[in-house]
Amino acid sequence: MTTASKITVLRVLMVPVFMIVLLSDLPYANYIALAIFIIASVTDFVDGYIARHYDQITDFGKFIDPLADKLLVFAALLIFVQSGLMPAWAAMVILTREFAVTGLRLVAVGKNRVIAAGLSGKVKTFSSMVCICIMLTDVGLIAIGPIDLNWICVAVMVVTTVWSGVEYFIKNNDVLDLG
């Protein structure tokens, strides 16, 4: 197993630790979970850099890296829904986009085509990571007028998710042969 893949597997193993800590009664559990989330998020950039820079791109890495990313984000979203920080419909929009784009990419691979991450997908990922970090802290409870920052974070995640999902399907509609 390559170094890049080992780092990715470490990220997968951090997901249950993140969830256990966040759901625990530990003092400052949300801040400990935030640290775990940030470290896990940074490993995504590190393993990608190592894989590209040291020619460690493997089929296993292509499979496990996006899975690790989704597990980390889905874990946070599910806990936010459970704790009342995010409505279930918002989490469902985000989950649906992830499954739909993954399905589109799988169909494209079957046609020997690769759908690279577009700008909107990168904006979605970055804004989601920042918003999740905010929502893991008490900063999200700060009210801006009649709404709190957590609500703004949910709105940002939903809007960027829908925007990037629509863009992926518009740019790659020929992959699905809709006729």
Side-chain angles (χ1 to χ4, degrees):
M1 184 179 296
T2 66
T3 301
S5 291
K6 288 176 185 174
I7 293 170
T8 307
V9 169
L10 175 64
R11 185 163 69 255
V12 170
L13 296 175
M14 292 174 83
V15 173
V17 175
F18 166 76
M19 292 185 79
I20 290 166
V21 168
L22 193 55
L23 293 169
S24 75
D25 291 329
L26 290 171
Y28 306 107
N30 57 327
Y31 291 101
I32 298 167
L34 172 63
I36 294 167
F37 185 85
I38 290 170
I39 292 166
S41 296
V42 168
T43 66
D44 185 28
F45 297 106
V46 172
D47 65 16
Y49 173 80
I50 290 171
R52 287 184 299 276
H53 189 74
Y54 295 101
D55 195 29
Q56 294 185 6
I57 297 171
T58 64
D59 288 339
F60 176 72
K62 290 177 192 176
F63 163 74
I64 197 72
D65 184 67
L67 179 63
D69 299 342
K70 286 170 183 37
L71 289 173
L72 182 62
V73 170
F74 291 178
L77 297 182
L78 290 172
I79 291 173
F80 292 157
V81 169
Q82 179 177 334
S83 64
L85 292 174
M86 174 180 273
W89 68 262
M92 190 62 192
V93 167
I94 295 166
L95 295 172
T96 299
R97 180 262 184 214
E98 294 302 328
F99 284 119
V101 170
T102 298
L104 179 67
R105 284 189 164 133
L106 288 173
V107 171
V109 165
K111 297 181 176 189
N112 294 319
R113 185 164 151 193
V114 174
I115 298 176
L119 175 63
S120 65
K122 292 176 183 186
V123 168
K124 186 253 334 161
T125 299
F126 177 76
S127 62
S128 293
M129 295 303 183
V130 170
C131 287
I132 289 169
C133 288
I134 289 169
M135 292 176 74
L136 287 169
T137 69
D138 296 331
V139 172
L141 301 175
I142 295 173
I144 301 171
I147 57 175
D148 63 26
L149 195 51
N150 283 336
W151 189 92
I152 293 170
C153 285
V154 170
V156 166
M157 285 191 281
V158 168
V159 167
T160 58
T161 294
V162 170
W163 167 47
S164 68
V166 168
E167 182 180 75
Y168 274 99
F169 278 88
I170 288 173
K171 286 186 174 180
N172 300 288
N173 66 346
D174 58 310
V175 170
L176 297 177
D177 295 327
L178 296 176

